[in-house]
Amino acid sequence: MSNKINHSMSLAQPDALNITNTQKIALAIGVVGLFILALALFNTNFPNKGLFLTLSLGAIFGGVILYSRSAYLTKLEGIKNDGVWFKSISSRGVLGWMLGVLLTTFYIVLYFFPTYLGLGTNGEANSGLIGFFDPLSQLLSGRDASQWFVYGVLYTVAILAFGYKFLLKYRHNRYQQLRTGSVMFFQLGFAFLIPEFMYVMNNDLPYYDLKSIWPLNYYIFDEWSVKGFLSTGNIGIALLLFGLLSIFVITPILTYKYGKRWYCSWVCGCGGLAETAGDSFRQLSSKKMYAWKIERWLIHTVLVFSIVMTVAMVYSYLGYEKNDFWLTRGVFISLVIGLLTVVFAAVMYFKRQELGKDAKMGAIGYAVVIALLLIMHYTGTTDHLFYIKAGALRSAYGLYIGSIFSGVIGTGFYPILGNRSWCRFGCPMAAILGFQQRLFSKFRITTNGGQCISCGNCSNSCEMGIDVRAYAQKGENIVRSSCVGCGICSAVCPRGVLKLENDSMKGRINPTEVLLGNDVDLMDLLNNK
Amino acid sequence: MEHIAIIGNGISGVTLARHIRKNSDKKITIISGETEYFFSRTALMYIYMGHMKFEHTQPYENWFWEKNRIELKQGFVKQVDTDTKTLHFAEGDTLQYDKLVIATGSKPNKFGWPGQDLEGVMGMYHKQDLENLEKYAPNKDVCKRAVIVGGGLIGIEMAEMLNSRGIPVTFLVREDSFWNGVLPSGESEMINRHIKNHHIDLRLSTNLKEIVSDADGKVKSIIIEETGEEIPCNVVGLTAGVAPNIDFLRESDIEIGRGVKVNRFLETNLPDIYAIGDCAEQHEAIGNRRPIEAVWYTGRMMGEVLAQTICGNKMEYKPGHWFNSAKFLDIEYQTYGWVFSDRNKSEFEAHFHWKHTDDTKCITVAYHKDTNTFLGINTFGIRMRHEVFDRWLTENRDVDYVMNHLAEANFDPEFYSKFETEILNAYTNQLQTI
């Protein structure tokens, strides 16, 4: 059965049918804003770049704001998902594919051919799109723009504008309001403005987005970065220490108390974009069993890769002699192996039962990492690790994971794979946080007794591809490493079945055979056997 | 190997099959004429509204059935020969069974209105009804107005569906306030206002007289009984309740009333034949429940229980405390225990009612006016914990205890405004004025 409103071949009709005149005007305004950017890209010589840049970004903001107000404020508060599977753009239709290709192309050019965007090389001035952003960059930090500055501005504009849209869409839901306010704040402040101001204060500091934590921030321990920190005195050392604290202290504590959502859907920039600009695509993530199998392999492989890469990276610039610096190669390798062993042993000791068959996989993974590190230590030379040039691993990681996976596929494929495909299949940070969330956290999504009607709204709206319904209809709490705690499953549930909570560890995972509401004897018989 | 044939692939039949499989190695066949795979009937509305596609309403992936050795047979059972234990299908083939479970659910009521079988007249129960609606009401150009007859849960869902595509809806409700045979008046009236806020043309105390045909046998308009007013429309939704879907059993030896008559063990008058879900009718009602319970949850519970009996652990159907839920457009509704409407409540049942000033949240707490025992709660726009109310009902808490501990039962998302203090104040004040 086809549920499409109409079966015409027209590209525009399915969407245009349902939008109001105000929305058409809003779209036009937004398109004008984008068109100015396109003109800049093709080296149009604007008389006053600052003015036109303001106009362009203003038009994009204005278009999204006007569109959203017309879409949501004209209706009563409530769930606003009407037609998402009919609209071409949000149901992998022609518009969806076109947008996907456009975004993917943009990322490829951004990462690999920034000169096409007008990046000046060899001391030349910027031109094109990047040159168009020079006035704003000059205003903020007194230097010319780079492709990363342009990307940062557009990224921030997207999160703020679509964040506003999301705020209107969920204006009845305080959790969604606060969460969205939070990602908008962290993007604008921490990812965008603060690094610019830090540069103004001390232009030797490496770019550091304070909320971006290793291993998501895979370059923080690169030689240039660490040297940058160490050479800028106390503030640099403080920042480096903060980076280490974030990994080993702040993250575990917050994840224990609140689950990985404190990061993934409240703070993180990737999450921020996914939750705002990507919100229209959340239903596209696959909930099939095979997708889950791919996910588990892929994300943990990336995690292993990122750990080994980072260790090798640091290892490559450490010395052999204690006299130069206390942290020698030998000490460093021993520390890493020690830490991994402590984590592994603790998990096996406390959580062996919960892991079941996965314990074997965990043990294999652990052995692989340790073996790799030992091989590296005993076969490595001054400039070769794993028999390849020391920097090669890092370059490969930066290229395949940092650029292609997180950017080109992760964001470019929003309209095809859903808005969290990077977070779900690739992010090593999400893997670590998820590992802890599954085993050592108070967070869960509680299922409300026997109230589930298996309608599937929760699963449909899960951007991480969790089949939420499979748990809810069994009366079982959802404790999954991949859950980012966005809370949309709970919001769209028509029967009030799901609630994100931090509660005690005891009874957190509660599989049931027979749901609440039935014969008490039967429930005792089956649920406690 | 014993062969269990289950007619009907809804929540009752599927729950039963899953539990039989967990406990035994019996051969299981689920028969359905409606769809190949189990889907959640309650989610049909979301397909029309574009929130989901049909495949998203299927709780199990298609490989699930083969993996669990549950055979699926598509076909309509025309006749049941209980002597030879044979099912005869409309398609001409047959199937032998050792034990038969009837779980065929409901069908929409039609009360003999003139024109009730015209093109464009439909219920909203089966997947085929949805396909019909898609055909006759794809958008507001093809369907200039729809009229819905019957003010229950399906009626309001259908109004919401059509509303989502901008199709004007006239909603005929026989009662003088929406669903007030079930809801106390304060709640019912709040929902009336909510319906009107959605620009749905709600007509209370209004009955359908007849549906008028155009020259091609399609709906042209309806005529209202009370006023004789003619309302032009292209679609008529008949949502005046449901009845057991058991016509195919009328020629058989299985005892039927409105539904298939069953005892507390869900057994029919004949050995090895059982009935569960919407189509089962208890000889005597259980507690305050109706003899026929057409509710998702009770269907599931009967499936859970009967699986035990079929697997050799004979067990009586003893549902626990009543609970239910629904959603009226944007307002969620949950109920735990018994809260009766003004029309149906006993003389000992007293109510405390609180409503938020925004007119989208309210609760009604029912208690015994002599003993103060808590009887039940209806909540609108505030989520409550099933487990907590189930426990309080088992513990026979009094109403003061419940009102003072209401915060423990709150199930709203984090950071939502809490109303327990306001509710408690209202409760205390009301007691003082009495």
Side-chain angles (χ1 to χ4, degrees):
Chain A
M1 181 180 72
S2 165
N3 299 308
K4 289 275 180 194
I5 294 176
N6 66 68
H7 307 272
S8 84
M9 294 294 286
S10 158
L11 293 188
Q13 202 181 13
D15 282 351
L17 262 182
N18 288 326
I19 68 175
T20 64
N21 287 335
T22 315
Q23 285 168 322
K24 285 174 191 159
I25 294 168
L27 271 180
I29 294 173
V31 169
V32 167
L34 288 172
F35 188 67
I36 297 176
L37 293 183
L39 287 178
L41 180 64
F42 296 113
N43 276 314
T44 305
N45 203 1
F46 288 108
N48 183 340
K49 280 201 276 189
L51 178 67
F52 275 90
L53 180 63
T54 313
L55 267 180
S56 165
L57 298 182
I60 293 172
F61 264 121
V64 176
I65 288 171
L66 190 63
Y67 190 96
S68 315
R69 294 180 70 87
S70 168
Y72 301 126
L73 292 184
T74 52
K75 298 188 182 120
L76 299 184
E77 293 177 4
I79 296 305
K80 298 280 171 277
N81 283 338
D82 288 350
V84 295
W85 278 105
F86 298 147
K87 290 177 187 153
S88 177
I89 196 154
S90 58
S91 64
R92 292 194 201 100
V94 178
L95 293 179
W97 278 96
M98 278 165 56
L99 180 64
V101 171
L102 190 71
L103 286 172
T104 310
T105 319
F106 171 74
Y107 272 94
I108 291 171
V109 173
L110 175 76
Y111 282 116
F112 305 111
F113 308 103
T115 48
Y116 294 177
L117 297 177
L119 184 69
T121 47
N122 304 323
E124 288 169 38
N126 291 329
S127 57
L129 187 64
I130 296 179
F132 191 55
F133 280 73
D134 281 343
L136 183 58
S137 185
Q138 286 288 353
L139 181 73
L140 288 169
S141 65
R143 57 183 158 167
D144 277 347
S146 65
Q147 76 270 38
W148 303 123
F149 179 80
V150 174
Y151 180 50
V153 174
L154 295 178
Y155 200 101
T156 308
V157 167
I159 288 187
L160 294 180
F162 287 98
Y164 176 80
K165 170 176 178 279
F166 193 88
L167 287 172
L168 293 188
K169 184 174 175 184
Y170 286 99
R171 66 188 192 278
H172 59 289
N173 189 316
R174 278 276 279 294
Y175 182 78
Q176 299 304 336
Q177 298 258 309
L178 292 172
R179 191 173 66 77
T180 306
S182 173
V183 293
M184 289 163 77
F185 166 78
F186 277 104
Q187 176 60 32
L188 180 63
F190 280 59
F192 184 63
L193 292 178
I194 292 178
E196 297 294 329
F197 298 153
M198 273 163 57
Y199 176 84
V200 175
M201 287 189 321
N202 184 339
N203 58 22
D204 288 328
L205 275 176
Y207 169 84
Y208 186 29
D209 170 0
L210 286 167
K211 68 175 173 50
S212 191
I213 302 172
W214 180 90
L216 183 58
N217 177 356
Y218 57 90
Y219 44 79
I220 185 172
F221 298 120
D222 281 6
E223 190 167 11
W224 59 268
S225 166
V226 173
K227 278 204 170 132
F229 283 128
L230 294 178
S231 65
T232 43
N234 288 340
I235 180 143
I237 291 174
L239 288 175
L240 187 60
L241 279 178
F242 178 76
L244 289 167
L245 270 181
S246 327
I247 302 162
F248 294 109
V249 181
I250 300 176
T251 296
I253 291 177
L254 289 176
T255 308
Y256 173 71
K257 289 180 75 120
Y258 307 112
K260 85 193 217 188
R261 57 181 170 154
W262 78 267
Y263 191 74
C264 294
S265 62
W266 283 73
V267 172
C268 178
C270 305
L273 191 71
E275 295 291 347
T276 51
D279 174 59
S280 308
F281 310 110
R282 60 172 58 247
Q283 67 283 356
L284 301 175
S285 65
S286 173
K287 279 79 186 178
K288 295 202 161 66
M289 175 81 94
Y290 76 78
W292 174 71
K293 289 183 174 162
I294 294 172
E295 167 192 327
R296 300 214 313 166
W297 276 102
L298 212 48
I299 192 168
H300 292 112
T301 308
V302 173
L303 178 63
V304 167
F305 188 9
S306 80
I307 290 176
V308 172
M309 181 278 295
T310 307
V311 173
M313 195 63 228
V314 175
Y315 185 88
S316 70
Y317 60 78
L318 292 174
Y320 292 103
E321 289 300 322
K322 270 196 184 131
N323 302 343
D324 300 336
F325 187 59
W326 64 271
L327 191 63
T328 61
R329 290 184 160 191
V331 174
F332 178 64
I333 281 288
S334 312
L335 279 176
V336 172
I337 292 179
L339 178 70
L340 290 173
T341 307
V342 167
V343 171
F344 180 72
V347 170
M348 284 299 159
Y349 181 75
F350 292 110
K351 300 284 169 179
R352 178 71 186 82
Q353 291 307 317
E354 268 181 41
L355 286 173
K357 279 185 284 184
D358 295 341
K360 205 169 95 187
M361 298 308 294
I364 294 171
Y366 166 78
V368 167
V369 176
I370 301 293
L372 283 173
L373 294 179
L374 289 175
I375 289 170
M376 179 182 82
H377 188 54
Y378 289 107
T379 65
T381 63
T382 317
D383 41 44
H384 279 72
L385 298 169
F386 298 114
Y387 305 105
I388 49 177
K389 247 179 122 242
L393 257 187
R394 164 64 178 77
S395 315
Y397 187 87
L399 174 67
Y400 293 113
I401 309 297
S403 307
I404 296 181
F405 204 157
S406 78
V408 179
I409 298 175
T411 310
F413 283 29
Y414 267 15
I416 309 303
L417 298 175
N419 56 335
R420 284 271 192 180
S421 47
W422 159 247
C423 314
R424 181 184 181 191
F425 295 105
C427 178
M429 176 84 183
I432 294 182
L433 295 177
F435 180 72
Q436 193 193 337
Q437 168 162 288
R438 175 68 181 71
L439 296 173
F440 301 103
S441 171
K442 292 158 158 294
F443 172 72
R444 89 288 311 274
I445 303 176
T446 305
T447 296
N448 199 8
Q451 287 278 26
C452 177
I453 51 166
S454 300
C455 71
N457 277 297
C458 50
S459 295
N460 180 60
S461 65
C462 180
E463 54 192 353
M464 294 302 281
I466 299 171
D467 190 0
V468 185
R469 166 175 57 191
Y471 297 80
Q473 68 190 0
K474 284 191 280 185
E476 184 176 344
N477 292 343
I478 294 102
V479 179
R480 276 283 291 268
S481 49
S482 60
C483 174
V484 292
C486 69
I488 300 295
C489 57
S490 161
V492 298
C493 176
R495 305 297 180 109
V497 175
L498 302 163
K499 176 173 163 70
L500 282 67
E501 286 189 294
N502 314 305
D503 202 338
S504 72
M505 296 276 287
K506 194 166 167 288
R508 182 166 164 255
I509 301 173
N510 60 338
T512 48
E513 293 274 321
V514 171
L515 272 66
L516 186 59
N518 210 333
D519 184 355
V520 184
D521 298 335
L522 178 65
M523 285 165 56
D524 283 349
L525 175 77
L526 293 181
N527 294 341
N528 298 327
K529 77 175 176 196
Chain B
M1 195 162 43
E2 194 176 37
H3 181 202
I4 315 292
I6 302 167
I7 311 179
N9 70 346
I11 181 65
S12 315
V14 165
T15 305
L16 172 72
R18 281 176 42 239
H19 280 264
I20 294 176
R21 177 52 71 240
K22 277 184 186 173
N23 292 304
S24 78
D25 228 14
K26 295 178 198 297
K27 180 179 173 183
I28 305 170
T29 305
I30 299 182
I31 299 149
S32 169
E34 184 185 14
T35 55
E36 193 176 358
Y37 300 106
F38 169 48
F39 72 100
S40 176
R41 189 173 305 291
T42 49
L44 279 179
M45 61 183 292
Y46 299 109
I47 302 171
Y48 181 84
M49 289 164 73
H51 295 202
M52 286 192 274
K53 299 214 281 187
F54 179 71
E55 66 247 39
H56 301 130
T57 66
Q58 295 179 179
Y60 303 97
E61 283 184 61
N62 294 349
W63 48 258
F64 175 88
W65 309 100
E66 201 183 324
K67 181 173 176 256
N68 289 290
R69 289 170 291 121
I70 296 172
E71 287 177 32
L72 304 178
K73 154 100 184 130
Q74 250 199 305
F76 283 99
V77 176
K78 189 179 65 182
Q79 189 198 333
V80 181
D81 184 343
T82 51
D83 296 331
T84 59
K85 294 196 168 182
T86 308
L87 301 177
H88 295 271
F89 290 94
E91 294 77 9
D93 49 340
T94 59
L95 187 78
Q96 297 282 326
Y97 63 84
D98 296 311
K99 285 195 169 117
L100 178 68
V101 181
I102 299 155
T104 47
S106 306
K107 61 180 182 7
N109 282 332
K110 289 183 175 180
F111 292 122
W113 291 293
Q116 66 182 15
D117 296 317
L118 291 171
E119 280 188 58
V121 182
M122 64 201 74
M124 184 43 60
Y125 185 87
H126 292 104
K127 182 171 179 248
Q128 286 72 19
D129 294 327
L130 187 71
E131 286 161 8
N132 241 340
L133 187 66
E134 192 67 57
K135 180 175 164 196
Y136 291 106
N139 56 48
K140 62 182 179 210
D141 300 322
V142 174
C143 178
K144 302 227 165 18
R145 178 169 289 277
V147 175
I148 292 167
V149 183
L153 297 180
I154 300 179
I156 196 166
E157 283 181 3
M158 204 166 170
E160 182 179 0
M161 291 161 75
L162 293 157
N163 207 34
S164 77
R165 293 202 186 174
I167 296 170
V169 176
T170 298
F171 190 11
L172 309 188
V173 174
R174 183 183 57 181
E175 292 78 19
D176 58 6
S177 182
F178 175 78
W179 217 36
N180 70 353
V182 176
L183 300 178
S185 56
E187 299 168 348
S188 166
E189 284 157 17
M190 185 181 88
I191 299 300
N192 289 343
R193 292 186 291 272
H194 187 63
I195 293 171
K196 288 178 181 162
N197 286 342
H198 274 274
H199 310 294
I200 292 166
D201 174 24
L202 176 66
R203 308 281 187 100
L204 298 169
S205 306
T206 304
N207 284 279
L208 173 68
K209 184 177 176 205
E210 68 170 294
I211 307 169
V212 183
S213 170
D214 69 3
D216 306 321
K218 279 178 155 173
V219 173
K220 187 180 83 180
S221 64
I222 61 108
I223 293 172
I224 287 172
E225 175 85 55
E226 285 75 10
T227 59
E229 181 189 356
E230 180 170 4
I231 302 176
C233 59
N234 305 97
V235 160
V236 175
L238 299 180
T239 58
V242 293
N245 180 23
I246 54 163
D247 287 342
F248 71 105
L249 295 176
R250 300 218 180 269
E251 307 299 315
S252 75
D253 296 329
I254 301 167
E255 183 190 355
I256 54 176
R258 282 187 60 223
V260 180
K261 289 283 194 179
V262 293
N263 61 18
R264 291 294 162 92
F265 293 93
L266 304 165
E267 297 165 327
T268 64
N269 61 318
L270 299 177
D272 294 335
I273 300 182
Y274 308 84
I276 54 174
D278 287 15
C279 68
E281 180 181 4
Q282 287 286 331
H283 289 294
E284 281 169 43
I286 303 172
N288 282 327
R289 290 163 185 264
R290 295 174 188 179
I292 298 175
E293 295 182 290
V295 180
W296 176 271
Y297 309 114
T298 50
R300 182 179 69 206
M301 279 148 51
M302 290 186 220
E304 290 167 349
V305 172
L306 183 61
Q308 295 298 314
T309 302
I310 286 181
C311 294
N313 175 25
K314 189 164 179 178
M315 191 160 268
E316 190 182 336
Y317 172 53
K318 282 191 292 187
H321 301 293
W322 172 255
F323 68 99
N324 200 1
S325 64
K327 191 171 180 184
F328 304 106
L329 298 157
D330 297 318
I331 301 179
E332 287 173 25
Y333 154 72
Q334 295 183 333
T335 183
Y336 301 102
W338 291 109
V339 182
F340 284 98
S341 64
D342 301 358
R343 199 199 305 163
N344 293 334
K345 73 178 181 189
S346 318
E347 49 80 34
F348 62 79
E349 182 178 334
H351 285 176
F352 162 70
H353 180 68
W354 168 88
K355 185 165 73 63
H356 190 270
T357 47
D358 76 2
D359 210 23
T360 65
K361 302 173 195 74
C362 70
I363 69 166
T364 303
V365 176
Y367 58 97
H368 195 295
K369 72 171 188 230
D370 302 325
T371 64
N372 265 350
T373 311
F374 169 69
L375 300 173
I377 184 169
N378 281 353
T379 83
F380 289 76
I382 302 176
R383 294 174 174 181
M384 298 284 181
R385 272 179 212 270
H386 186 180
E387 193 211 333
V388 172
F389 276 109
D390 195 75
R391 191 172 70 237
W392 286 345
L393 286 162
T394 302
E395 292 167 349
N396 267 318
R397 293 290 181 183
D398 64 36
V399 62
D400 288 338
Y401 180 90
V402 170
M403 297 312 293
N404 279 295
H405 292 79
L406 213 47
E408 278 173 42
N410 187 293
F411 199 70
D412 270 339
E414 295 153 299
F415 307 118
Y416 267 45
S417 304
K418 301 274 191 286
F419 304 105
E420 285 87 15
T421 319
E422 197 183 323
I423 292 171
L424 186 60
N425 287 341
Y427 173 71
T428 322
N429 289 337
Q430 177 197 283
L431 289 192
Q432 282 162 352
T433 54
I434 290 172

